[in-house]
């Protein structure tokens, strides 16, 4: 189903997987966090979306279906620069490949009390999610007062667990 969504543009798979992801969020994330959360899909470049996904933004599809299951709003806060697909890059070079690839969309803001649920399809090394979190840190600008936002990372699947410590890969990020 993930392959059909990611490479075949299957909207049906996106709805199914996104709803399942939303149900897991309701079960596993505290009510306090969910009540003040927004769903933020990891962005796909327009070039990649149009060339291999049949016009479907697969992470946005997952986020919209998870929104239906949770009642949480979707906020497209991030944009992505064109880089080689992570699947084509050796795991040891993935962090370098996405370094600086993500940034906030121009004019996007979020109230300081809102938590973020960052949604992606598959986590392998965690490089994409780490780079997205780094970009989200800039959401509040350079304020003199330290603001800590809760970011919950949510993926449909985890691949290559042997490449990274499970505890490090699944900890919620607090920024």
């Amino acid at each position: 189903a993930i392959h059909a969504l990611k490479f075949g543009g299957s909207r049906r798979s996106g709805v199914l997987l996104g709803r399942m992801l939303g149900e897991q969020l309701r079960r596993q994330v505290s009510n306090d966090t969910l009540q003040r959360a927004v769903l933020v899909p990891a962005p796909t470049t327009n070039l990649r979306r149009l060339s291999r996904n049949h016009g479907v933004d697969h992470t946005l599809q997952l986020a919209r279906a998870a929104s239906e299951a949770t009642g949480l709003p979707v906020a497209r806060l991030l944009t992505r620069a064109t880089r080689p697909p992570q699947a084509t890059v050796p795991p040891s070079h993935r962090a370098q490949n996405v370094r600086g690839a993500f940034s906030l969309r121009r004019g996007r803001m979020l109230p300081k009390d809102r938590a973020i649920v960052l949604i992606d399809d598959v986590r392998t090394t965690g490089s994409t999610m780490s780079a997205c979190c780094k970009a989200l840190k800039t959401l509040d600008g350079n304020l003199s007062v330290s603001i800590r936002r809760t970011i919950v990372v949510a993926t449909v699947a985890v691949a290559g667990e042997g490449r990274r410590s499970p505890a490090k890969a699944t900890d919620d990020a607090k920024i």
Side-chain angles (χ1 to χ4, degrees):
I2 293 171
H3 195 270
L5 170 64
K6 191 168 183 168
F7 300 105
S10 170
R11 293 178 193 275
R12 182 174 177 210
S13 294
V15 169
L16 172 70
L17 293 169
R19 286 183 181 157
M20 291 171 54
L21 185 62
E23 291 299 323
Q24 285 299 316
L25 287 169
R26 289 176 59 199
R27 281 195 277 282
Q28 295 183 12
V29 178
S30 74
N31 282 336
D32 176 57
T33 297
L34 277 185
Q35 288 176 355
R36 56 189 180 85
V38 296
L39 304 174
V40 177
T44 302
T45 65
N46 288 335
L47 177 65
R48 193 165 300 141
R49 180 177 52 82
L50 293 173
S51 67
R52 85 169 179 204
N53 297 357
H54 306 283
V56 175
D57 183 333
H58 62 288
T59 56
L60 180 58
Q61 186 79 26
L62 291 170
R64 286 180 175 160
S67 174
E68 291 175 16
T70 61
L72 297 174
V74 175
R76 295 179 69 191
L77 298 177
L78 297 171
T79 187
R80 181 179 191 153
T82 302
R83 302 281 170 82
Q86 287 290 78
T88 66
V89 177
S92 60
H93 292 86
R94 290 184 180 185
Q96 181 180 355
N97 186 48
V98 293
R99 188 173 297 127
F102 300 97
S103 58
L104 291 178
R105 287 178 176 262
R106 196 172 295 170
R108 298 300 166 122
M109 298 174 67
L110 191 65
K112 292 170 183 50
D113 65 334
R114 299 301 294 260
I116 295 170
V117 177
L118 185 59
I119 294 183
D120 202 1
D121 54 354
V122 178
R123 181 189 51 76
T124 304
T125 65
S127 297
T128 299
M129 301 312 274
S130 294
C132 286
C133 287
K134 187 172 184 177
L136 289 167
K137 284 183 181 182
T138 66
L139 198 61
D140 298 310
N142 295 324
L143 300 175
S144 59
V145 177
S146 176
I147 294 177
R148 294 176 57 89
R149 275 191 201 271
T150 299
I151 298 179
V152 176
V153 173
T155 60
V156 174
V158 177
E161 270 304 295
R163 295 185 184 136
R164 187 163 179 202
S165 160
K168 190 173 186 183
T170 59
D171 286 347
D172 290 352
K174 300 266 188 182
I175 59 171

